[in-house]
Amino acid sequence: MNRTRLPNWMLHRSVVSPVLVLVLLLSGCQSEEASDKPLRLRMAHVYEVSSPTHAYGTAHLAQRLKQVTSDLDVTVYPAAQLGTEAELLEQLVAGELDLAISGPSFLAMWHPPLGVLDAAYASRDLDQMLETARGEDMAPHWDELRKRFDVRVLDTWAYGSRHITSNIPIRNPTDLDGFRLRMPGASVWQASGAALGASPMPISFGEVYLALQQGIADGQENPVPVIKAMGFHEVQKCLNLSGHIQSSIQILMNERTWQRMDTDQQAALMKVVKELGEDVYRGTVEDEQWLIEEWRKDGTMQIVEDVDVDAFRKRAAEYFSSGYAFSELYNQITSEPE
């Protein structure tokens, strides 16, 4: 036990009360014990418990942290328990949450160049997307979030390769002429739908099934595990392997909370977050592969594999080459050699 240093005014007195000394020493012990208690963190996101994000990732965050440190304790609130994505970001900035998850299109409302990661065909595959998101091209833009909003990006996780579902095969951009494609309402997503050649429709996620069933929308696009989880395969006939967006999510932390942690706590959290990101990546890819194979075998959906990806990619490159806050970054990323 460290000795508690007595105040100078006490050292100058000829007699020091034994009781007072005992009180000060005990208070020193209590202070030291209090500092040993784990830092309690709160995390929230909107993804369902069955989603790869939670099932392979955040569901294991608390347990994995306990395996590497006794100084951190985290409680995770999935499935929008604490609010919508926009509401969670507000809570994160205010310090009411320590950790949250969001996607590039939401973060682009704060810093528009970040929308590049949700732009059609910005990345060839999930590997390139992750390399870009974690590399030098994006680093200055993540740093803007920290400087302007006190939000630190700990890591980028894969959400999945997005493919188009429909009732007729979609093989090239001309097949999307007049096609009412449901896309998320954010401007980046709507632009990506137009870049593919479709007529994008901003329908809320919870209403997509009914919109497809009633013919309000002709199709939608999502990663295969999401299509399965939401039952879209029940009301659509074709899965067109367009892979037009390599979708990502960002693991965010309040910067003030980050600064309260010591270097060991920071290192422990980063280690676990990055390891879980790899687990999410593997789980997402494996889920997509076995679902496509299962649907191909049992005829749940027609798997359209001969999509002219090059034609879609060329159209998107022309569409996003100028006029957008992320156009320069898009051109830079798409021109990088394979």
Side-chain angles (χ1 to χ4, degrees):
M1 179 179 70
N2 295 331
R3 290 182 176 274
T4 301
R5 187 177 184 274
L6 300 180
N8 290 334
W9 67 267
M10 285 188 58
L11 296 176
H12 293 158
R13 293 174 63 93
S14 57
V15 178
V16 177
S17 166
V19 175
L20 186 54
V21 172
L22 180 60
V23 169
L24 285 168
L25 290 175
L26 288 175
S27 66
C29 292
Q30 291 169 351
S31 176
E32 187 172 312
E33 289 172 0
S35 67
D36 289 339
K37 291 182 180 179
L39 178 63
R40 302 190 184 280
L41 306 175
R42 298 171 77 244
M43 180 187 209
H45 61 74
V46 299
Y47 303 98
E48 295 296 326
V49 294
S50 61
S51 69
T53 298
H54 188 70
Y56 300 120
T58 55
H60 309 283
L61 181 57
Q63 179 186 3
R64 295 280 281 272
L65 271 176
K66 289 178 181 178
Q67 293 174 358
V68 297
T69 180
S70 60
D71 291 341
L72 290 175
D73 184 22
V74 61
T75 301
V76 178
Y77 301 89
Q81 291 180 37
L82 300 187
T84 65
E85 194 165 350
E87 290 168 341
L88 296 183
L89 287 178
E90 291 176 2
Q91 294 173 45
L92 183 70
V93 172
E96 297 168 8
L97 280 175
D98 303 298
L99 294 149
I101 298 179
S102 186
S105 59
F106 266 90
L107 298 177
M109 291 188 288
W110 290 349
H111 184 57
L114 294 175
V116 70
L117 291 176
D118 278 340
Y121 292 104
S123 302
R124 295 182 298 274
D125 51 35
L126 287 176
D127 288 329
Q128 190 204 12
M129 180 276 293
L130 289 172
E131 183 178 351
T132 298
R134 294 167 175 169
E136 295 180 358
D137 290 337
M138 297 302 298
H141 300 288
W142 302 134
D143 204 39
E144 281 297 307
L145 296 184
R146 183 185 60 80
K147 292 177 180 176
R148 295 169 56 190
F149 300 100
D150 266 357
V151 171
R152 176 178 290 262
V153 178
L154 298 183
D155 196 18
T156 292
W157 288 1
Y159 185 65
S161 299
R162 302 180 78 98
H163 304 291
I164 299 170
T165 64
S166 59
N167 288 321
I168 58 170
I170 303 295
R171 293 186 171 91
N172 56 65
T174 59
D175 292 332
L176 287 179
D177 186 24
F179 186 92
R180 295 166 299 176
L181 179 64
R182 183 271 168 182
M183 299 282 285
S187 59
V188 177
W189 291 105
Q190 293 294 297
S192 285
L196 296 174
S199 299
M201 296 183 69
I203 299 173
S204 65
F205 193 50
E207 298 175 357
V208 176
Y209 187 99
L210 191 60
L212 295 172
Q213 188 179 51
Q214 296 182 348
I216 297 171
D218 298 315
Q220 65 83 52
E221 50 77 62
N222 261 297
V224 175
V226 177
I227 294 170
K228 167 69 173 178
M230 299 303 294
F232 299 150
H233 61 292
E234 300 170 357
V235 289
Q236 296 269 267
K237 297 177 181 178
C238 301
L239 173 66
N240 309 280
L241 301 183
S242 53
H244 51 281
I245 295 175
Q246 305 302 318
S247 206
S248 70
I249 54 175
Q250 281 65 50
I251 311 303
L252 310 172
M253 186 166 198
N254 179 281
E255 178 67 10
R256 298 184 298 280
T257 303
W258 173 265
Q259 295 299 336
R260 280 168 48 207
M261 299 193 300
D262 61 36
T263 54
D264 289 340
Q265 290 172 323
Q266 292 173 350
L269 181 60
M270 288 296 296
K271 171 182 169 62
V272 171
V273 166
K274 289 185 177 296
E275 288 177 352
L276 289 176
E278 296 306 313
D279 292 346
V280 169
Y281 169 82
R282 284 191 294 271
T284 298
V285 172
E286 290 172 2
D287 283 358
E288 175 179 299
Q289 290 173 344
W290 77 259
L291 278 170
I292 289 176
E293 187 59 29
E294 184 179 271
W295 290 347
R296 182 186 287 114
K297 288 180 179 178
D298 64 19
T300 296
M301 300 189 82
Q302 177 184 347
I303 309 301
V304 182
E305 299 183 79
D306 57 339
V307 176
D308 191 348
V309 172
D310 288 339
F312 278 112
R313 181 177 288 115
K314 181 180 178 182
R315 194 183 194 286
E318 293 172 353
Y319 192 92
F320 287 125
S321 63
S322 62
Y324 289 86
F326 53 77
S327 289
E328 181 178 352
L329 190 54
Y330 184 97
N331 295 334
Q332 179 181 340
I333 293 170
T334 56
S335 65
E336 292 175 354
E338 297 186 22

